[in-house]
Amino acid sequence: SLILSWNSEVFTYLFSELRQGTVELKDFSKEVAVMFLEGLYSGVVAVEKSYFRELNKISHAFKVKWMSKKCTAAFTQFCESCSHDYTDMVFLFNEAVYSEVTLKCGVLMKIVVET
């Protein structure tokens, strides 16, 4: 699809270079996969804590820069609105560590440290 390729160099590679007609998103929940694809077509995505990790992961996996930036902005808001209770702090720290270790992206850790 032209729209998918326009949003993601990974889709461009899969469709153009590898000539794949379909792409399986089996590493992600159906809800997040649908949200991701709808976001690519509409240019709009809402980022909530409940599915933050998966949406951040899929946006990094497919190199969708604008969606990764939306996830980072949402994470910044999560930090700024943090009530400093144990649950919030664990969520923020876990997501920052996951992003740094698994996605090789240290931006969230920097946000946690600076906030």
Side-chain angles (χ1 to χ4, degrees):
S1 164
L2 183 60
I3 292 174
L4 297 177
S5 294
W6 185 78
N7 278 283
S8 165
E9 65 187 63
V10 174
F11 280 121
T12 301
Y13 177 75
L14 292 171
F15 297 144
S16 299
E17 301 295 321
L18 298 181
R19 304 272 188 229
Q20 288 188 334
T22 60
V23 177
E24 291 187 30
L25 301 175
K26 59 185 173 184
D27 291 339
F28 305 96
S29 69
K30 180 180 179 181
E31 294 78 19
V32 169
V34 168
M35 185 182 312
F36 174 70
L37 293 171
E38 286 177 349
L40 294 180
Y41 279 93
S42 69
V44 177
V45 66
V47 183
E48 301 290 334
K49 278 185 179 181
S50 59
Y51 51 81
F52 174 81
R53 179 176 291 187
E54 259 195 298
L55 189 60
N56 192 39
K57 180 181 175 184
I58 199 170
S59 69
H60 277 83
F62 285 91
K63 298 183 181 179
V64 180
K65 293 176 186 172
W66 70 264
M67 196 175 292
S68 293
K69 287 180 183 178
K70 290 281 278 189
C71 289
T72 300
F75 188 80
T76 301
Q77 288 180 333
F78 299 155
C79 285
E80 290 171 351
S81 65
C82 177
S83 63
H84 297 288
D85 73 352
Y86 180 76
T87 306
D88 282 349
M89 300 299 284
V90 168
F91 167 80
L92 295 172
F93 182 73
N94 282 341
E95 293 309 315
V97 169
Y98 177 84
S99 181
E100 184 150 344
V101 172
T102 306
L103 305 178
K104 307 296 185 229
C105 179
V107 174
L108 301 186
M109 186 61 77
K110 183 177 178 185
I111 293 168
V112 167
V113 170
E114 291 176 354
T115 304

